[in-house]
Amino acid sequence: MIKEIVTDLEALAKPAVPATAEDEQIGQDLLDTMASIEDGCVCLAANQIGSDKAIIAYEDEDEQRHVMFNPRIKQATQPFKATENCLSISKESTVTRFNVIKVSFEELEDGKLVRKEKRFTEWVAECIQHAIDHTKGRLV
Ligand SMILES: [Zn+2]
């Protein structure tokens, strides 16, 4: 279901709570909402669509969209300064990001959450870092 993007900074500043296998619909809502936004919406966190669960969605190099449950960054190298926009905030800001990251996350398989690890680079890595920040209530 397509949701409205949350812009209330107080709501966005709350850290997310762990997601469970019952939160499948929130993952789907993230994908639906992303698909409805034109113009470079490459990542979205659940609190941006009004859920307090630690779930994010991102778009990869091949424009395929994926959902991650309870993501955390395990390794990060090659820091750089990035200027980012956020769908929820109107102004740009500059943050330190890492060009290469390893992320531990969960994915739904047959109704169960299975933990996985994946390495990301460049802008996909940057987007995922931005979305994981959202799950911590941190805004760029
Ligand atoms: Zn954002």
Side-chain angles (χ1 to χ4, degrees):
M1 199 195 294
I2 297 170
K3 302 278 186 176
E4 214 172 300
I5 299 294
V6 174
T7 53
D8 175 14
L9 296 183
E10 208 174 302
L12 291 167
K14 288 195 191 108
V17 301
T20 68
E22 275 78 67
D23 297 319
E24 186 174 11
Q25 184 58 44
I26 298 167
Q28 188 56 49
D29 291 346
L30 280 172
L31 295 176
D32 294 344
T33 305
M34 265 178 97
S36 76
I37 300 167
E38 289 175 30
D39 229 29
C41 173
V42 283
C43 69
L44 204 56
N47 56 358
Q48 291 180 280
I49 59 163
S51 158
D52 62 353
K53 297 300 174 78
I55 307 172
I56 67 166
Y58 69 95
E59 196 174 284
D60 67 17
E61 291 88 346
D62 304 316
E63 293 179 28
Q64 298 295 308
R65 300 188 184 99
H66 307 271
V67 175
M68 285 179 170
F69 286 68
N70 304 312
R72 24 174 218 267
I73 293 167
K74 295 201 71 181
Q75 237 177 60
T77 53
Q78 301 175 23
F80 66 99
K81 288 274 177 226
T83 303
E84 293 181 356
N85 284 300
C86 179
L87 278 177
S88 294
I89 313 169
S90 50
K91 67 170 181 52
E92 275 189 345
S93 43
T94 303
V95 281
T96 300
R97 296 293 184 208
F98 297 87
N99 201 38
V100 182
I101 57 171
K102 204 201 270 177
V103 182
S104 167
F105 61 99
E106 289 172 316
E107 234 170 40
L108 271 176
E109 273 176 19
D110 300 325
K112 278 189 212 133
L113 285 179
V114 180
R115 186 145 293 268
K116 307 196 166 177
E117 247 179 44
K118 207 170 167 177
R119 184 176 174 273
F120 297 94
T121 61
E122 302 182 33
W123 64 264
V124 179
E126 183 180 345
C127 289
I128 290 171
Q129 288 165 82
H130 181 106
I132 289 177
D133 271 359
H134 272 296
T135 69
K136 294 174 180 166
R138 202 182 291 155
L139 299 162
V140 294

